[in-house]
Amino acid sequence: LNRFPPGESVSVSTPPVFQFDNSYARTMEGMAVAWRPAQVPAPRLLRLNRALAEELGLDPDALASEAGLAVLSGNVVPEGAQPIAQAYAGHQFGGFSPQLGDGRALLLGEVIDTLGQRRDIAFKGSGRTPFSRGGDGKAAVGPVLREYLISEAMHALGIPTTRTLAAVATGEAVYRERPLPGALLTRVAASHIRVGTFQFFAARQDTERLTRLADHVIARHDPSLADHEDRYLALLRAVCERQAVLLARWMGVGFIHGVMNTDNMTVSGETIDYGPCAFMEAFDPDTVFSSIDTRGRYAYGKQPSIAQWNLTRLAEALLPLIDTDEDRAAERAMAVLQAFPDRFSHHWLAGMRGKLGLPATGDDEADRDLANDFLALMQRHAVDFTLGFRRLSSVLRGQPEPLQALFGAEADGLADWLARWQARLGAAPLAEVARGMDSVNPIYIPRNHLVEHALEAATESDNLAPFEALLGVITRPYDERANDALFAQPASAEESAGYRTFCGT
Ligand code: AMP
Ligand code: MG
């Protein structure tokens, strides 16, 4: 990293927008490059997340002011910030790149939120850095608003995720297939440390920095492991467990990340990097949305095993810390990795029990079969994943028609399955079970055609109304509202045919 010139570190006195405490910049010397965001010509606030600002202990009005906009656009580096581009490596679609890093992102600094949690404040789209390679370091309005929508929807669904504090239009064009209006996102994360961050130092056999990184992660995400006699193995186990939880949550809402490269997997267990992601409609485990994922590596149904593959890359990076004896280190890491499918399956079953209104305990195999058989039925009849689960509760309220309509006239197998399901529910109080199901099965998700419509209106006509409307709906995903009925509808056949999302972010 020393071959990169340090960026000027200019701080400007502004009203104290953030109270920074930058532990990464402080302790991770040689793991990032001091850099500055690019100046932008005509910043304009597209959206400020006021609720998140308050959660962070920030003043939303100050952020929305001229001075706040100057900060959120990157034009002014606020006092206490130490903007850095973080180094990381990563396996992309299976191939290793020893150097990726923040090519269009900068970590501005860390704050302690109102709950005492340390949170990163970072830019995405803030211009070139020493890690940009051929890229322009910029982002366009569409992808920035996509990340805003999907990350905030994920949060509202209770799924660990990076958040979006603000989206700012820059007033300059970015060039993709054609000129597009530029924008910049302020991302909030438990940390931006990725599997690929560990790989960066492991690939350089820089065990000293690797150890420092691992200790930093333990202090930050797993403080209870600090005195553990096997703390690096325990760290691996903790990261595996968080990812098992996360993957089970993704699978439970039909979320497809789209580009599960190791640089896009956090050690905090938060979902990160919303590029070609989308929510599945008609259930099919082979669903792929990313235009560049031509082989279906990151298809919906492959996500848990890809997570395990990525975690194996993390384990490899950690080997020198786990045991000085290489074979013993590998053996011990392997035992942790091999537990992943069971851990995932455990969390998946817990999620499915919630979705089906089943008690939290019972015959695991029988409940797993019940859930899998429902999924198989949905697949056979191309039923919308979200509505398929949501409409189940109506059956318990004596209204099977909304569910039956999804399966079509000859819904063979559905009646049998419903009978099995209701037998399993037994004497449970059905009204209460139905209410519980509605509190975990969303009715509103960011449907692809609605997201595309909102991004297009913002990009082509500078019209943010569809974005605002959609954001309002998907951040309250569980309570059904008559006025929002259209937002619950799947795309028409034409709209969903060959739907692809692009990485051109
Ligand atoms: P991603 O596909 O977003 O996970 O990014 C993979 C790598 O490409 C990271 O190192 C990014 O910083 C870099 N990258 C993506 N887009 C750009 C861009 N427009 N300019 C510079 N670097 C980029
Ligand atoms: Mg990435």
Side-chain angles (χ1 to χ4, degrees), residues 284-347:
D284 178 355
D286 291 334
T287 305
V288 177
F289 289 119
S290 168
S291 60
I292 55 171
D293 190 5
T294 47
R295 296 183 172 195
R297 178 181 170 90
Y298 298 140
Y300 171 82
K302 291 199 183 145
Q303 295 184 123
S305 58
I306 287 291
Q308 188 184 15
W309 192 92
N310 289 349
L311 292 163
T312 306
R313 308 287 82 77
L314 175 65
E316 284 166 0
L318 286 172
L319 284 182
L321 312 191
I322 289 174
D323 204 304
T324 45
D325 180 290
E326 240 174 79
D327 292 338
R328 213 160 47 216
E331 209 173 288
R332 303 175 77 200
M334 198 77 87
V336 171
L337 293 166
Q338 279 168 351
F340 182 82
D342 277 351
R343 296 310 301 157
F344 166 75
S345 184
H346 168 83
H347 294 297

Short mmCIF file of all heavy atoms in Angstrom, two decimals, residues 284-347:
data_model
loop_
_atom_site.label_atom_id
_atom_site.label_comp_id
_atom_site.label_asym_id
_atom_site.label_seq_id
_atom_site.Cartn_x
_atom_site.Cartn_y
_atom_site.Cartn_z
N ASP A 284 -38.76 -20.25 -7.90
CA ASP A 284 -37.93 -21.19 -8.64
C ASP A 284 -36.50 -21.04 -8.10
O ASP A 284 -35.89 -19.97 -8.25
CB ASP A 284 -37.97 -20.86 -10.14
CG ASP A 284 -37.05 -21.79 -10.94
OD1 ASP A 284 -36.34 -22.62 -10.33
OD2 ASP A 284 -37.05 -21.68 -12.18
N PRO A 285 -35.97 -22.09 -7.49
CA PRO A 285 -34.64 -21.97 -6.87
C PRO A 285 -33.53 -21.63 -7.87
O PRO A 285 -32.46 -21.16 -7.47
CB PRO A 285 -34.39 -23.35 -6.26
CG PRO A 285 -35.70 -24.05 -6.26
CD PRO A 285 -36.58 -23.41 -7.27
N ASP A 286 -33.78 -21.86 -9.16
CA ASP A 286 -32.74 -21.56 -10.15
C ASP A 286 -32.74 -20.09 -10.59
O ASP A 286 -31.96 -19.71 -11.47
CB ASP A 286 -32.91 -22.44 -11.40
CG ASP A 286 -32.59 -23.90 -11.10
OD1 ASP A 286 -31.80 -24.15 -10.17
OD2 ASP A 286 -33.14 -24.78 -11.79
N THR A 287 -33.60 -19.28 -9.98
CA THR A 287 -33.71 -17.89 -10.43
C THR A 287 -32.38 -17.14 -10.26
O THR A 287 -31.73 -17.19 -9.22
CB THR A 287 -34.80 -17.16 -9.64
OG1 THR A 287 -36.01 -17.90 -9.75
CG2 THR A 287 -35.02 -15.74 -10.17
N VAL A 288 -32.00 -16.43 -11.33
CA VAL A 288 -30.80 -15.59 -11.37
C VAL A 288 -31.26 -14.25 -11.95
O VAL A 288 -32.04 -14.24 -12.88
CB VAL A 288 -29.75 -16.18 -12.33
CG1 VAL A 288 -28.53 -15.28 -12.43
CG2 VAL A 288 -29.34 -17.57 -11.91
N PHE A 289 -30.79 -13.16 -11.41
CA PHE A 289 -31.16 -11.86 -11.99
C PHE A 289 -29.98 -11.15 -12.63
O PHE A 289 -30.14 -10.36 -13.54
CB PHE A 289 -31.75 -10.93 -10.92
CG PHE A 289 -33.12 -11.34 -10.46
CD1 PHE A 289 -33.35 -11.66 -9.14
CD2 PHE A 289 -34.18 -11.40 -11.35
CE1 PHE A 289 -34.62 -12.03 -8.71
CE2 PHE A 289 -35.45 -11.76 -10.94
CZ PHE A 289 -35.67 -12.09 -9.61
N SER A 290 -28.78 -11.41 -12.10
CA SER A 290 -27.64 -10.62 -12.54
C SER A 290 -27.30 -10.89 -14.00
O SER A 290 -27.14 -12.04 -14.41
CB SER A 290 -26.44 -10.94 -11.67
OG SER A 290 -25.28 -10.41 -12.26
N SER A 291 -27.17 -9.82 -14.76
CA SER A 291 -26.88 -9.96 -16.19
C SER A 291 -25.51 -10.59 -16.44
O SER A 291 -25.27 -11.15 -17.49
CB SER A 291 -26.94 -8.59 -16.85
OG SER A 291 -25.98 -7.73 -16.24
N ILE A 292 -24.61 -10.48 -15.44
CA ILE A 292 -23.27 -11.03 -15.68
C ILE A 292 -23.12 -12.44 -15.12
O ILE A 292 -22.09 -13.09 -15.31
CB ILE A 292 -22.14 -10.13 -15.10
CG1 ILE A 292 -22.37 -9.87 -13.62
CG2 ILE A 292 -22.07 -8.81 -15.88
CD1 ILE A 292 -21.20 -9.16 -12.95
N ASP A 293 -24.16 -12.94 -14.42
CA ASP A 293 -24.07 -14.27 -13.82
C ASP A 293 -24.61 -15.31 -14.81
O ASP A 293 -25.61 -15.97 -14.57
CB ASP A 293 -24.84 -14.32 -12.50
CG ASP A 293 -24.58 -15.59 -11.71
OD1 ASP A 293 -23.72 -16.39 -12.14
OD2 ASP A 293 -25.22 -15.78 -10.67
N THR A 294 -23.88 -15.48 -15.91
CA THR A 294 -24.41 -16.30 -17.00
C THR A 294 -24.48 -17.78 -16.64
O THR A 294 -25.24 -18.52 -17.23
CB THR A 294 -23.54 -16.13 -18.26
OG1 THR A 294 -22.18 -16.26 -17.85
CG2 THR A 294 -23.74 -14.76 -18.87
N ARG A 295 -23.70 -18.21 -15.64
CA ARG A 295 -23.72 -19.64 -15.30
C ARG A 295 -24.59 -19.94 -14.08
O ARG A 295 -24.61 -21.07 -13.60
CB ARG A 295 -22.31 -20.12 -15.00
CG ARG A 295 -21.45 -20.04 -16.22
CD ARG A 295 -20.10 -20.59 -15.91
NE ARG A 295 -19.32 -20.68 -17.13
CZ ARG A 295 -18.20 -21.38 -17.22
NH1 ARG A 295 -17.77 -22.04 -16.18
NH2 ARG A 295 -17.55 -21.40 -18.35
N GLY A 296 -25.23 -18.92 -13.54
CA GLY A 296 -26.10 -19.15 -12.39
C GLY A 296 -25.36 -19.49 -11.12
O GLY A 296 -25.90 -20.15 -10.23
N ARG A 297 -24.10 -19.04 -11.01
CA ARG A 297 -23.33 -19.30 -9.79
C ARG A 297 -24.07 -18.79 -8.56
O ARG A 297 -24.04 -19.42 -7.51
CB ARG A 297 -21.96 -18.63 -9.92
CG ARG A 297 -21.07 -18.79 -8.69
CD ARG A 297 -19.73 -18.07 -8.88
NE ARG A 297 -18.97 -18.02 -7.65
CZ ARG A 297 -18.10 -18.94 -7.26
NH1 ARG A 297 -17.87 -19.99 -8.02
NH2 ARG A 297 -17.46 -18.82 -6.12
N TYR A 298 -24.71 -17.63 -8.69
CA TYR A 298 -25.34 -17.00 -7.53
C TYR A 298 -26.86 -17.08 -7.58
O TYR A 298 -27.56 -16.19 -7.09
CB TYR A 298 -24.85 -15.56 -7.40
CG TYR A 298 -23.35 -15.44 -7.17
CD1 TYR A 298 -22.60 -14.44 -7.79
CD2 TYR A 298 -22.68 -16.35 -6.35
CE1 TYR A 298 -21.22 -14.34 -7.57
CE2 TYR A 298 -21.31 -16.26 -6.14
CZ TYR A 298 -20.58 -15.25 -6.76
OH TYR A 298 -19.23 -15.15 -6.54
N ALA A 299 -27.37 -18.16 -8.17
CA ALA A 299 -28.82 -18.39 -8.19
C ALA A 299 -29.36 -18.50 -6.76
O ALA A 299 -28.62 -18.87 -5.84
CB ALA A 299 -29.13 -19.68 -8.96
N TYR A 300 -30.64 -18.21 -6.61
CA TYR A 300 -31.29 -18.24 -5.28
C TYR A 300 -30.91 -19.49 -4.49
O TYR A 300 -30.42 -19.40 -3.37
CB TYR A 300 -32.81 -18.18 -5.47
CG TYR A 300 -33.60 -18.42 -4.20
CD1 TYR A 300 -33.80 -17.41 -3.28
CD2 TYR A 300 -34.14 -19.69 -3.93
CE1 TYR A 300 -34.52 -17.64 -2.11
CE2 TYR A 300 -34.85 -19.92 -2.76
CZ TYR A 300 -35.04 -18.90 -1.86
OH TYR A 300 -35.75 -19.13 -0.71
N GLY A 301 -31.12 -20.66 -5.08
CA GLY A 301 -30.94 -21.91 -4.35
C GLY A 301 -29.49 -22.24 -4.04
O GLY A 301 -29.21 -23.10 -3.20
N LYS A 302 -28.57 -21.56 -4.70
CA LYS A 302 -27.15 -21.86 -4.46
C LYS A 302 -26.54 -20.98 -3.37
O LYS A 302 -25.39 -21.19 -2.97
CB LYS A 302 -26.36 -21.66 -5.75
CG LYS A 302 -26.69 -22.70 -6.80
CD LYS A 302 -25.61 -22.77 -7.85
CE LYS A 302 -25.99 -23.76 -8.93
NZ LYS A 302 -25.52 -23.31 -10.25
N GLN A 303 -27.31 -20.01 -2.90
CA GLN A 303 -26.71 -19.02 -1.99
C GLN A 303 -26.12 -19.63 -0.72
O GLN A 303 -25.01 -19.25 -0.33
CB GLN A 303 -27.72 -17.91 -1.68
CG GLN A 303 -28.08 -17.10 -2.92
CD GLN A 303 -29.01 -15.94 -2.64
OE1 GLN A 303 -28.70 -14.80 -2.95
NE2 GLN A 303 -30.16 -16.21 -2.07
N PRO A 304 -26.82 -20.57 -0.06
CA PRO A 304 -26.21 -21.12 1.16
C PRO A 304 -24.88 -21.82 0.88
O PRO A 304 -23.92 -21.67 1.66
CB PRO A 304 -27.27 -22.12 1.66
CG PRO A 304 -28.55 -21.64 1.07
CD PRO A 304 -28.19 -21.06 -0.27
N SER A 305 -24.80 -22.57 -0.21
CA SER A 305 -23.52 -23.27 -0.44
C SER A 305 -22.44 -22.29 -0.90
O SER A 305 -21.26 -22.48 -0.60
CB SER A 305 -23.70 -24.42 -1.43
OG SER A 305 -24.21 -23.96 -2.64
N ILE A 306 -22.83 -21.21 -1.58
CA ILE A 306 -21.85 -20.19 -1.93
C ILE A 306 -21.35 -19.49 -0.66
O ILE A 306 -20.16 -19.18 -0.52
CB ILE A 306 -22.44 -19.16 -2.92
CG1 ILE A 306 -22.59 -19.79 -4.31
CG2 ILE A 306 -21.59 -17.91 -2.98
CD1 ILE A 306 -21.28 -20.09 -5.02
N ALA A 307 -22.24 -19.28 0.28
CA ALA A 307 -21.81 -18.66 1.55
C ALA A 307 -20.76 -19.55 2.21
O ALA A 307 -19.73 -19.07 2.69
CB ALA A 307 -23.00 -18.46 2.48
N GLN A 308 -21.00 -20.84 2.21
CA GLN A 308 -20.03 -21.76 2.81
C GLN A 308 -18.71 -21.72 2.03
O GLN A 308 -17.62 -21.76 2.62
CB GLN A 308 -20.60 -23.18 2.83
CG GLN A 308 -19.71 -24.13 3.62
CD GLN A 308 -20.23 -25.58 3.58
OE1 GLN A 308 -21.08 -25.93 2.75
NE2 GLN A 308 -19.73 -26.40 4.47
N TRP A 309 -18.79 -21.62 0.74
CA TRP A 309 -17.58 -21.51 -0.09
C TRP A 309 -16.80 -20.25 0.29
O TRP A 309 -15.59 -20.28 0.50
CB TRP A 309 -18.00 -21.47 -1.57
CG TRP A 309 -16.86 -21.64 -2.55
CD1 TRP A 309 -16.42 -22.80 -3.09
CD2 TRP A 309 -16.03 -20.59 -3.10
NE1 TRP A 309 -15.36 -22.55 -3.94
CE2 TRP A 309 -15.10 -21.22 -3.97
CE3 TRP A 309 -15.97 -19.21 -2.94
CZ2 TRP A 309 -14.14 -20.49 -4.69
CZ3 TRP A 309 -15.00 -18.49 -3.65
CH2 TRP A 309 -14.10 -19.13 -4.52
N ASN A 310 -17.52 -19.15 0.43
CA ASN A 310 -16.86 -17.89 0.81
C ASN A 310 -16.24 -17.99 2.20
O ASN A 310 -15.13 -17.49 2.43
CB ASN A 310 -17.88 -16.74 0.79
CG ASN A 310 -18.30 -16.36 -0.62
OD1 ASN A 310 -17.70 -16.80 -1.60
ND2 ASN A 310 -19.33 -15.53 -0.72
N LEU A 311 -16.96 -18.64 3.12
CA LEU A 311 -16.44 -18.77 4.48
C LEU A 311 -15.20 -19.67 4.50
O LEU A 311 -14.32 -19.51 5.35
CB LEU A 311 -17.53 -19.32 5.40
CG LEU A 311 -18.68 -18.32 5.64
CD1 LEU A 311 -19.91 -19.02 6.21
CD2 LEU A 311 -18.23 -17.18 6.56
N THR A 312 -15.14 -20.59 3.54
CA THR A 312 -13.95 -21.43 3.43
C THR A 312 -12.75 -20.57 3.03
O THR A 312 -11.63 -20.77 3.50
CB THR A 312 -14.19 -22.56 2.41
OG1 THR A 312 -15.38 -23.26 2.79
CG2 THR A 312 -13.02 -23.53 2.38
N ARG A 313 -12.98 -19.56 2.20
CA ARG A 313 -11.91 -18.62 1.83
C ARG A 313 -11.48 -17.81 3.06
O ARG A 313 -10.30 -17.53 3.26
CB ARG A 313 -12.36 -17.68 0.71
CG ARG A 313 -12.94 -18.37 -0.53
CD ARG A 313 -11.89 -19.08 -1.38
NE ARG A 313 -11.47 -20.39 -0.94
CZ ARG A 313 -12.17 -21.53 -1.11
NH1 ARG A 313 -13.33 -21.53 -1.71
NH2 ARG A 313 -11.70 -22.67 -0.67
N LEU A 314 -12.45 -17.45 3.92
CA LEU A 314 -12.09 -16.75 5.16
C LEU A 314 -11.25 -17.67 6.05
O LEU A 314 -10.23 -17.24 6.61
CB LEU A 314 -13.36 -16.31 5.90
CG LEU A 314 -13.12 -15.68 7.28
CD1 LEU A 314 -12.36 -14.36 7.16
CD2 LEU A 314 -14.45 -15.45 8.02
N ALA A 315 -11.68 -18.92 6.15
CA ALA A 315 -10.95 -19.89 6.98
C ALA A 315 -9.51 -20.03 6.48
O ALA A 315 -8.57 -20.03 7.28
CB ALA A 315 -11.67 -21.23 6.97
N GLU A 316 -9.34 -20.12 5.17
CA GLU A 316 -7.98 -20.24 4.61
C GLU A 316 -7.13 -19.05 5.02
O GLU A 316 -5.96 -19.19 5.37
CB GLU A 316 -8.06 -20.29 3.08
CG GLU A 316 -8.50 -21.64 2.54
CD GLU A 316 -8.89 -21.58 1.07
OE1 GLU A 316 -8.81 -20.49 0.45
OE2 GLU A 316 -9.29 -22.62 0.54
N ALA A 317 -7.74 -17.87 4.96
CA ALA A 317 -6.99 -16.66 5.32
C ALA A 317 -6.58 -16.69 6.79
O ALA A 317 -5.51 -16.22 7.15
CB ALA A 317 -7.83 -15.42 5.01
N LEU A 318 -7.45 -17.27 7.62
CA LEU A 318 -7.19 -17.26 9.07
C LEU A 318 -6.27 -18.39 9.53
O LEU A 318 -5.81 -18.38 10.67
CB LEU A 318 -8.52 -17.37 9.83
CG LEU A 318 -9.41 -16.12 9.85
CD1 LEU A 318 -10.76 -16.44 10.48
CD2 LEU A 318 -8.72 -14.98 10.61
N LEU A 319 -5.99 -19.36 8.64
CA LEU A 319 -5.23 -20.54 9.06
C LEU A 319 -3.97 -20.24 9.87
O LEU A 319 -3.77 -20.82 10.93
CB LEU A 319 -4.88 -21.43 7.85
CG LEU A 319 -6.03 -22.28 7.28
CD1 LEU A 319 -5.51 -23.13 6.12
CD2 LEU A 319 -6.65 -23.16 8.36
N PRO A 320 -3.12 -19.29 9.41
CA PRO A 320 -1.90 -19.06 10.18
C PRO A 320 -2.15 -18.56 11.60
O PRO A 320 -1.28 -18.68 12.45
CB PRO A 320 -1.14 -18.00 9.36
CG PRO A 320 -1.99 -17.65 8.21
CD PRO A 320 -3.19 -18.52 8.18
N LEU A 321 -3.34 -18.00 11.83
CA LEU A 321 -3.65 -17.52 13.18
C LEU A 321 -4.27 -18.63 14.03
O LEU A 321 -4.25 -18.57 15.25
CB LEU A 321 -4.62 -16.33 13.15
CG LEU A 321 -4.33 -15.17 12.20
CD1 LEU A 321 -5.25 -14.01 12.53
CD2 LEU A 321 -2.88 -14.74 12.30
N ILE A 322 -4.85 -19.60 13.37
CA ILE A 322 -5.60 -20.63 14.11
C ILE A 322 -4.66 -21.61 14.79
O ILE A 322 -4.87 -22.01 15.93
CB ILE A 322 -6.60 -21.34 13.16
CG1 ILE A 322 -7.75 -20.36 12.82
CG2 ILE A 322 -7.16 -22.62 13.78
CD1 ILE A 322 -8.72 -20.86 11.78
N ASP A 323 -3.63 -22.00 14.07
CA ASP A 323 -2.67 -22.94 14.67
C ASP A 323 -1.35 -22.83 13.92
O ASP A 323 -1.34 -22.69 12.70
CB ASP A 323 -3.20 -24.37 14.58
CG ASP A 323 -2.59 -25.28 15.63
OD1 ASP A 323 -1.35 -25.39 15.69
OD2 ASP A 323 -3.37 -25.88 16.40
N THR A 324 -0.23 -22.90 14.64
CA THR A 324 1.06 -22.82 13.98
C THR A 324 1.33 -24.08 13.15
O THR A 324 2.07 -24.04 12.18
CB THR A 324 2.20 -22.66 15.02
OG1 THR A 324 1.96 -23.59 16.08
CG2 THR A 324 2.24 -21.25 15.57
N ASP A 325 0.68 -25.17 13.54
CA ASP A 325 0.78 -26.40 12.75
C ASP A 325 -0.29 -26.35 11.66
O ASP A 325 -1.48 -26.32 11.94
CB ASP A 325 0.56 -27.61 13.67
CG ASP A 325 0.66 -28.93 12.90
OD1 ASP A 325 -0.25 -29.22 12.09
OD2 ASP A 325 1.65 -29.64 13.10
N GLU A 326 0.17 -26.36 10.42
CA GLU A 326 -0.72 -26.15 9.28
C GLU A 326 -1.84 -27.19 9.20
O GLU A 326 -3.00 -26.85 8.97
CB GLU A 326 0.09 -26.22 7.99
CG GLU A 326 0.03 -24.96 7.16
CD GLU A 326 0.99 -25.04 5.98
OE1 GLU A 326 0.59 -25.70 5.00
OE2 GLU A 326 2.10 -24.48 6.05
N ASP A 327 -1.47 -28.45 9.38
CA ASP A 327 -2.46 -29.52 9.27
C ASP A 327 -3.51 -29.40 10.37
O ASP A 327 -4.69 -29.58 10.13
CB ASP A 327 -1.80 -30.90 9.33
CG ASP A 327 -0.94 -31.14 8.09
OD1 ASP A 327 -1.21 -30.47 7.07
OD2 ASP A 327 -0.01 -31.96 8.16
N ARG A 328 -3.01 -29.11 11.57
CA ARG A 328 -3.94 -29.01 12.68
C ARG A 328 -4.88 -27.81 12.48
O ARG A 328 -6.07 -27.89 12.74
CB ARG A 328 -3.18 -28.87 14.00
CG ARG A 328 -3.92 -29.53 15.16
CD ARG A 328 -3.04 -29.84 16.33
NE ARG A 328 -2.20 -28.71 16.68
CZ ARG A 328 -0.95 -28.81 17.13
NH1 ARG A 328 -0.39 -30.00 17.26
NH2 ARG A 328 -0.25 -27.74 17.44
N ALA A 329 -4.32 -26.70 11.97
CA ALA A 329 -5.14 -25.51 11.71
C ALA A 329 -6.24 -25.86 10.70
O ALA A 329 -7.41 -25.53 10.90
CB ALA A 329 -4.28 -24.37 11.18
N ALA A 330 -5.87 -26.57 9.65
CA ALA A 330 -6.84 -26.91 8.60
C ALA A 330 -7.94 -27.82 9.15
O ALA A 330 -9.12 -27.64 8.86
CB ALA A 330 -6.12 -27.59 7.44
N GLU A 331 -7.51 -28.78 9.97
CA GLU A 331 -8.47 -29.73 10.54
C GLU A 331 -9.49 -29.01 11.42
O GLU A 331 -10.69 -29.27 11.36
CB GLU A 331 -7.67 -30.70 11.40
CG GLU A 331 -8.23 -32.08 11.55
CD GLU A 331 -7.21 -32.94 12.28
OE1 GLU A 331 -6.17 -33.29 11.67
OE2 GLU A 331 -7.43 -33.20 13.48
N ARG A 332 -9.00 -28.09 12.21
CA ARG A 332 -9.89 -27.39 13.14
C ARG A 332 -10.82 -26.44 12.39
O ARG A 332 -12.00 -26.33 12.71
CB ARG A 332 -9.05 -26.64 14.17
CG ARG A 332 -8.10 -27.58 14.91
CD ARG A 332 -7.19 -26.84 15.83
NE ARG A 332 -7.90 -26.46 17.04
CZ ARG A 332 -7.50 -25.50 17.85
NH1 ARG A 332 -6.42 -24.81 17.58
NH2 ARG A 332 -8.19 -25.22 18.92
N ALA A 333 -10.27 -25.76 11.39
CA ALA A 333 -11.12 -24.86 10.59
C ALA A 333 -12.19 -25.66 9.85
O ALA A 333 -13.35 -25.26 9.76
CB ALA A 333 -10.26 -24.08 9.60
N MET A 334 -11.78 -26.82 9.34
CA MET A 334 -12.70 -27.67 8.59
C MET A 334 -13.90 -28.07 9.45
O MET A 334 -15.04 -28.09 8.98
CB MET A 334 -11.95 -28.93 8.13
CG MET A 334 -12.64 -29.66 7.02
SD MET A 334 -12.37 -28.81 5.47
CE MET A 334 -10.83 -29.58 4.99
N ALA A 335 -13.63 -28.39 10.70
CA ALA A 335 -14.73 -28.80 11.59
C ALA A 335 -15.76 -27.68 11.72
O ALA A 335 -16.97 -27.93 11.74
CB ALA A 335 -14.17 -29.20 12.95
N VAL A 336 -15.27 -26.43 11.79
CA VAL A 336 -16.19 -25.30 11.90
C VAL A 336 -16.98 -25.14 10.60
O VAL A 336 -18.21 -24.97 10.61
CB VAL A 336 -15.41 -24.00 12.21
CG1 VAL A 336 -16.31 -22.78 12.12
CG2 VAL A 336 -14.76 -24.10 13.60
N LEU A 337 -16.28 -25.24 9.47
CA LEU A 337 -16.94 -25.05 8.17
C LEU A 337 -17.98 -26.14 7.91
O LEU A 337 -19.04 -25.88 7.35
CB LEU A 337 -15.90 -25.06 7.05
CG LEU A 337 -14.96 -23.86 7.06
CD1 LEU A 337 -13.76 -24.13 6.15
CD2 LEU A 337 -15.68 -22.59 6.65
N GLN A 338 -17.63 -27.37 8.32
CA GLN A 338 -18.56 -28.47 8.05
C GLN A 338 -19.84 -28.36 8.85
O GLN A 338 -20.85 -28.98 8.50
CB GLN A 338 -17.86 -29.81 8.31
CG GLN A 338 -16.99 -30.19 7.13
CD GLN A 338 -16.04 -31.34 7.41
OE1 GLN A 338 -15.89 -31.77 8.56
NE2 GLN A 338 -15.39 -31.83 6.37
N ALA A 339 -19.81 -27.56 9.90
CA ALA A 339 -21.03 -27.37 10.69
C ALA A 339 -21.97 -26.37 10.02
O ALA A 339 -23.14 -26.26 10.42
CB ALA A 339 -20.67 -26.90 12.10
N PHE A 340 -21.47 -25.66 9.02
CA PHE A 340 -22.28 -24.58 8.43
C PHE A 340 -23.62 -25.05 7.87
O PHE A 340 -24.66 -24.44 8.17
CB PHE A 340 -21.47 -23.81 7.36
CG PHE A 340 -22.25 -22.67 6.78
CD1 PHE A 340 -22.32 -21.45 7.43
CD2 PHE A 340 -22.94 -22.82 5.57
CE1 PHE A 340 -23.07 -20.39 6.90
CE2 PHE A 340 -23.68 -21.77 5.04
CZ PHE A 340 -23.74 -20.56 5.71
N PRO A 341 -23.66 -26.12 7.07
CA PRO A 341 -24.96 -26.53 6.52
C PRO A 341 -26.00 -26.80 7.62
O PRO A 341 -27.16 -26.41 7.48
CB PRO A 341 -24.64 -27.81 5.73
CG PRO A 341 -23.19 -27.65 5.36
CD PRO A 341 -22.56 -26.95 6.52
N ASP A 342 -25.57 -27.42 8.72
CA ASP A 342 -26.50 -27.67 9.82
C ASP A 342 -26.94 -26.38 10.50
O ASP A 342 -28.10 -26.26 10.90
CB ASP A 342 -25.86 -28.59 10.87
CG ASP A 342 -25.98 -30.04 10.47
OD1 ASP A 342 -26.71 -30.33 9.50
OD2 ASP A 342 -25.34 -30.89 11.13
N ARG A 343 -26.01 -25.46 10.65
CA ARG A 343 -26.37 -24.19 11.28
C ARG A 343 -27.34 -23.43 10.40
O ARG A 343 -28.33 -22.88 10.87
CB ARG A 343 -25.12 -23.32 11.56
CG ARG A 343 -24.12 -23.90 12.54
CD ARG A 343 -24.77 -24.36 13.83
NE ARG A 343 -25.46 -23.26 14.49
CZ ARG A 343 -26.45 -23.43 15.35
NH1 ARG A 343 -26.87 -24.63 15.67
NH2 ARG A 343 -27.03 -22.38 15.91
N PHE A 344 -27.06 -23.41 9.10
CA PHE A 344 -27.99 -22.76 8.17
C PHE A 344 -29.37 -23.42 8.26
O PHE A 344 -30.39 -22.76 8.39
CB PHE A 344 -27.46 -22.82 6.73
CG PHE A 344 -28.52 -22.48 5.72
CD1 PHE A 344 -28.91 -21.16 5.54
CD2 PHE A 344 -29.16 -23.48 5.01
CE1 PHE A 344 -29.93 -20.85 4.65
CE2 PHE A 344 -30.18 -23.18 4.12
CZ PHE A 344 -30.56 -21.86 3.94
N SER A 345 -29.36 -24.74 8.19
CA SER A 345 -30.60 -25.50 8.18
C SER A 345 -31.40 -25.25 9.47
O SER A 345 -32.63 -25.14 9.43
CB SER A 345 -30.23 -26.97 8.03
OG SER A 345 -31.36 -27.74 7.93
N HIS A 346 -30.70 -25.15 10.56
CA HIS A 346 -31.35 -24.85 11.85
C HIS A 346 -32.08 -23.51 11.79
O HIS A 346 -33.25 -23.40 12.16
CB HIS A 346 -30.26 -24.83 12.94
CG HIS A 346 -30.71 -24.28 14.25
ND1 HIS A 346 -31.38 -25.02 15.20
CD2 HIS A 346 -30.61 -23.02 14.76
CE1 HIS A 346 -31.67 -24.25 16.23
NE2 HIS A 346 -31.21 -23.03 16.00
N HIS A 347 -31.39 -22.49 11.28
CA HIS A 347 -32.01 -21.15 11.22
C HIS A 347 -33.09 -21.10 10.15
O HIS A 347 -34.10 -20.42 10.29
CB HIS A 347 -30.94 -20.08 10.96
CG HIS A 347 -29.98 -19.95 12.10
ND1 HIS A 347 -30.35 -19.56 13.36
CD2 HIS A 347 -28.65 -20.20 12.17
CE1 HIS A 347 -29.30 -19.56 14.15
NE2 HIS A 347 -28.25 -19.94 13.46
#
